[in-house]
Short mmCIF file of all heavy atoms in Angstrom, two decimals:
data_model
loop_
_atom_site.label_atom_id
_atom_site.label_comp_id
_atom_site.label_asym_id
_atom_site.label_seq_id
_atom_site.Cartn_x
_atom_site.Cartn_y
_atom_site.Cartn_z
N GLU R 107 -61.20 -180.50 -40.39
CA GLU R 107 -61.05 -181.81 -41.08
C GLU R 107 -62.15 -181.76 -42.23
O GLU R 107 -63.34 -181.55 -41.88
CB GLU R 107 -61.38 -182.94 -40.08
CG GLU R 107 -60.33 -183.12 -38.95
CD GLU R 107 -59.00 -183.34 -39.55
OE1 GLU R 107 -58.78 -184.20 -40.45
OE2 GLU R 107 -58.06 -182.57 -39.12
N PHE R 108 -61.71 -181.96 -43.41
CA PHE R 108 -62.69 -181.78 -44.52
C PHE R 108 -62.25 -182.77 -45.65
O PHE R 108 -61.08 -183.23 -45.67
CB PHE R 108 -62.71 -180.37 -45.04
CG PHE R 108 -61.31 -179.92 -45.69
CD1 PHE R 108 -61.19 -180.21 -47.13
CD2 PHE R 108 -60.37 -179.29 -44.99
CE1 PHE R 108 -59.97 -179.82 -47.65
CE2 PHE R 108 -59.20 -178.94 -45.57
CZ PHE R 108 -58.92 -179.28 -46.91
N THR R 109 -63.17 -183.03 -46.56
CA THR R 109 -62.80 -183.55 -47.89
C THR R 109 -63.44 -182.67 -48.95
O THR R 109 -64.64 -182.41 -48.95
CB THR R 109 -63.47 -185.02 -48.03
OG1 THR R 109 -62.78 -185.84 -47.06
CG2 THR R 109 -63.21 -185.56 -49.39
N TYR R 110 -62.57 -182.21 -49.76
CA TYR R 110 -63.05 -181.36 -50.90
C TYR R 110 -62.92 -182.18 -52.15
O TYR R 110 -61.95 -182.91 -52.46
CB TYR R 110 -62.06 -180.16 -51.09
CG TYR R 110 -62.22 -179.34 -52.37
CD1 TYR R 110 -63.08 -178.30 -52.42
CD2 TYR R 110 -61.42 -179.71 -53.50
CE1 TYR R 110 -63.24 -177.59 -53.65
CE2 TYR R 110 -61.55 -179.02 -54.65
CZ TYR R 110 -62.44 -177.98 -54.77
OH TYR R 110 -62.56 -177.19 -55.93
N ARG R 111 -64.06 -182.22 -52.94
CA ARG R 111 -64.09 -182.96 -54.20
C ARG R 111 -64.46 -181.99 -55.25
O ARG R 111 -65.29 -181.11 -55.10
CB ARG R 111 -65.07 -184.13 -54.18
CG ARG R 111 -64.74 -185.26 -53.21
CD ARG R 111 -65.82 -186.36 -53.20
NE ARG R 111 -65.43 -187.54 -52.52
CZ ARG R 111 -65.67 -187.72 -51.19
NH1 ARG R 111 -66.30 -186.75 -50.55
NH2 ARG R 111 -65.27 -188.81 -50.60
N SER R 126 -67.81 -180.03 -54.18
CA SER R 126 -68.40 -180.65 -52.99
C SER R 126 -67.53 -180.52 -51.81
O SER R 126 -66.28 -180.80 -51.93
CB SER R 126 -68.68 -182.15 -53.33
OG SER R 126 -69.12 -182.83 -52.16
N VAL R 127 -68.05 -180.06 -50.72
CA VAL R 127 -67.26 -179.84 -49.52
C VAL R 127 -67.90 -180.66 -48.37
O VAL R 127 -69.03 -180.41 -47.97
CB VAL R 127 -67.19 -178.36 -49.12
CG1 VAL R 127 -66.38 -178.12 -47.89
CG2 VAL R 127 -66.61 -177.55 -50.29
N GLU R 128 -67.16 -181.60 -47.90
CA GLU R 128 -67.68 -182.45 -46.77
C GLU R 128 -67.05 -182.02 -45.48
O GLU R 128 -65.71 -182.00 -45.37
CB GLU R 128 -67.37 -183.96 -47.08
CG GLU R 128 -67.78 -184.90 -45.96
CD GLU R 128 -67.39 -186.28 -46.23
OE1 GLU R 128 -66.86 -186.58 -47.40
OE2 GLU R 128 -67.55 -187.16 -45.41
N ASN R 129 -67.81 -181.63 -44.44
CA ASN R 129 -67.25 -181.28 -43.18
C ASN R 129 -67.13 -182.49 -42.34
O ASN R 129 -68.12 -183.08 -41.81
CB ASN R 129 -68.21 -180.25 -42.52
CG ASN R 129 -67.72 -179.83 -41.13
OD1 ASN R 129 -66.68 -180.29 -40.64
ND2 ASN R 129 -68.49 -178.89 -40.54
N ARG R 130 -65.86 -182.97 -42.12
CA ARG R 130 -65.69 -184.20 -41.28
C ARG R 130 -65.22 -183.79 -39.90
O ARG R 130 -64.70 -184.62 -39.14
CB ARG R 130 -64.59 -185.06 -41.95
CG ARG R 130 -65.03 -185.60 -43.28
CD ARG R 130 -64.13 -186.63 -43.91
NE ARG R 130 -62.82 -186.10 -44.31
CZ ARG R 130 -61.68 -186.17 -43.65
NH1 ARG R 130 -61.58 -186.80 -42.51
NH2 ARG R 130 -60.65 -185.56 -44.16
N ASP R 131 -65.48 -182.49 -39.57
CA ASP R 131 -65.00 -182.08 -38.29
C ASP R 131 -66.24 -182.09 -37.28
O ASP R 131 -67.29 -182.52 -37.61
CB ASP R 131 -64.52 -180.59 -38.35
CG ASP R 131 -63.45 -180.25 -37.42
OD1 ASP R 131 -63.58 -180.50 -36.23
OD2 ASP R 131 -62.39 -179.73 -37.90
N THR R 132 -66.02 -181.60 -36.05
CA THR R 132 -67.05 -181.66 -35.04
C THR R 132 -67.67 -180.25 -34.83
O THR R 132 -68.49 -180.07 -33.86
CB THR R 132 -66.47 -182.09 -33.65
OG1 THR R 132 -65.38 -181.22 -33.28
CG2 THR R 132 -65.95 -183.52 -33.83
N LYS R 133 -67.39 -179.32 -35.66
CA LYS R 133 -67.89 -177.92 -35.56
C LYS R 133 -68.16 -177.42 -36.93
O LYS R 133 -67.84 -177.97 -37.94
CB LYS R 133 -66.78 -177.09 -34.85
CG LYS R 133 -65.50 -177.07 -35.58
CD LYS R 133 -64.44 -176.49 -34.80
CE LYS R 133 -63.02 -176.63 -35.58
NZ LYS R 133 -61.90 -176.14 -34.67
N ARG R 134 -68.99 -176.29 -36.93
CA ARG R 134 -69.40 -175.65 -38.19
C ARG R 134 -68.07 -175.20 -38.86
O ARG R 134 -67.19 -174.65 -38.29
CB ARG R 134 -70.32 -174.49 -37.92
CG ARG R 134 -70.64 -173.70 -39.13
CD ARG R 134 -71.72 -172.67 -38.91
NE ARG R 134 -73.04 -173.32 -38.81
CZ ARG R 134 -74.18 -172.66 -38.69
NH1 ARG R 134 -74.23 -171.27 -38.72
NH2 ARG R 134 -75.34 -173.30 -38.55
N MET R 135 -68.09 -175.40 -40.23
CA MET R 135 -67.00 -174.96 -41.02
C MET R 135 -67.39 -173.87 -42.02
O MET R 135 -68.37 -173.96 -42.59
CB MET R 135 -66.45 -176.22 -41.92
CG MET R 135 -65.27 -175.97 -42.66
SD MET R 135 -64.60 -177.55 -43.35
CE MET R 135 -65.79 -177.88 -44.63
N PHE R 137 -66.40 -171.36 -45.27
CA PHE R 137 -65.56 -171.48 -46.44
C PHE R 137 -66.17 -170.71 -47.59
O PHE R 137 -67.36 -170.23 -47.58
CB PHE R 137 -65.38 -173.01 -46.83
CG PHE R 137 -66.71 -173.69 -47.21
CD1 PHE R 137 -67.16 -173.75 -48.47
CD2 PHE R 137 -67.48 -174.24 -46.17
CE1 PHE R 137 -68.35 -174.44 -48.79
CE2 PHE R 137 -68.68 -174.90 -46.47
CZ PHE R 137 -69.12 -174.97 -47.78
N HIS R 275 -71.25 -172.14 -45.17
CA HIS R 275 -70.89 -172.96 -44.05
C HIS R 275 -71.52 -174.32 -44.23
O HIS R 275 -72.52 -174.52 -44.94
CB HIS R 275 -71.37 -172.33 -42.72
CG HIS R 275 -72.86 -172.23 -42.63
ND1 HIS R 275 -73.64 -171.14 -42.89
CD2 HIS R 275 -73.73 -173.15 -42.16
CE1 HIS R 275 -74.83 -171.39 -42.60
NE2 HIS R 275 -74.98 -172.58 -42.15
N ALA R 276 -70.92 -175.31 -43.51
CA ALA R 276 -71.43 -176.61 -43.43
C ALA R 276 -71.26 -177.08 -42.02
O ALA R 276 -70.19 -177.00 -41.43
CB ALA R 276 -70.71 -177.62 -44.37
N ASP R 277 -72.36 -177.54 -41.45
CA ASP R 277 -72.28 -178.10 -40.07
C ASP R 277 -71.56 -179.47 -39.97
O ASP R 277 -71.39 -180.10 -41.04
CB ASP R 277 -73.69 -178.22 -39.56
CG ASP R 277 -74.32 -176.85 -39.18
OD1 ASP R 277 -73.61 -175.89 -38.89
OD2 ASP R 277 -75.50 -176.62 -39.37
N ALA R 278 -71.19 -179.82 -38.85
CA ALA R 278 -70.46 -181.08 -38.58
C ALA R 278 -71.16 -182.21 -39.20
O ALA R 278 -72.36 -182.42 -39.13
CB ALA R 278 -70.29 -181.31 -37.11
N GLY R 279 -70.48 -183.01 -39.98
CA GLY R 279 -70.95 -184.15 -40.70
C GLY R 279 -71.79 -183.88 -41.92
O GLY R 279 -72.25 -184.85 -42.57
N LYS R 280 -71.97 -182.62 -42.31
CA LYS R 280 -72.73 -182.33 -43.53
C LYS R 280 -71.87 -182.14 -44.71
O LYS R 280 -70.67 -181.78 -44.66
CB LYS R 280 -73.57 -181.08 -43.19
CG LYS R 280 -74.56 -181.16 -42.09
CD LYS R 280 -75.62 -182.28 -42.35
CE LYS R 280 -76.61 -182.29 -41.21
NZ LYS R 280 -77.66 -183.39 -41.41
N THR R 281 -72.47 -182.20 -45.93
CA THR R 281 -71.79 -181.95 -47.16
C THR R 281 -72.51 -180.86 -47.93
O THR R 281 -73.75 -180.81 -48.10
CB THR R 281 -71.75 -183.21 -48.10
OG1 THR R 281 -70.94 -184.13 -47.33
CG2 THR R 281 -71.10 -182.90 -49.35
N TRP R 282 -71.85 -179.95 -48.47
CA TRP R 282 -72.29 -178.83 -49.24
C TRP R 282 -71.83 -179.02 -50.75
O TRP R 282 -70.69 -179.43 -50.96
CB TRP R 282 -71.81 -177.47 -48.82
CG TRP R 282 -72.29 -176.32 -49.64
CD1 TRP R 282 -73.40 -175.51 -49.48
CD2 TRP R 282 -71.64 -175.82 -50.81
NE1 TRP R 282 -73.38 -174.45 -50.40
CE2 TRP R 282 -72.35 -174.70 -51.27
CE3 TRP R 282 -70.50 -176.21 -51.48
CZ2 TRP R 282 -71.99 -173.89 -52.35
CZ3 TRP R 282 -70.11 -175.43 -52.63
CH2 TRP R 282 -70.83 -174.38 -53.02
N SER R 283 -72.65 -178.80 -51.79
CA SER R 283 -72.18 -178.91 -53.14
C SER R 283 -72.98 -178.00 -54.03
O SER R 283 -74.12 -177.64 -53.76
CB SER R 283 -72.32 -180.43 -53.62
OG SER R 283 -73.72 -180.73 -53.70
#
Side-chain angles (χ1 to χ4, degrees):
E107 296 301 312
F108 68 86
T109 296
Y110 168 90
R111 290 180 174 89
S126 174
V127 179
E128 179 185 353
N129 181 358
R130 297 190 287 105
D131 216 307
T132 58
K133 57 194 174 184
R134 174 173 287 188
M135 186 169 73
F137 61 93
H275 68 265
D277 288 326
K280 300 296 184 181
T281 298
W282 177 96
S283 67

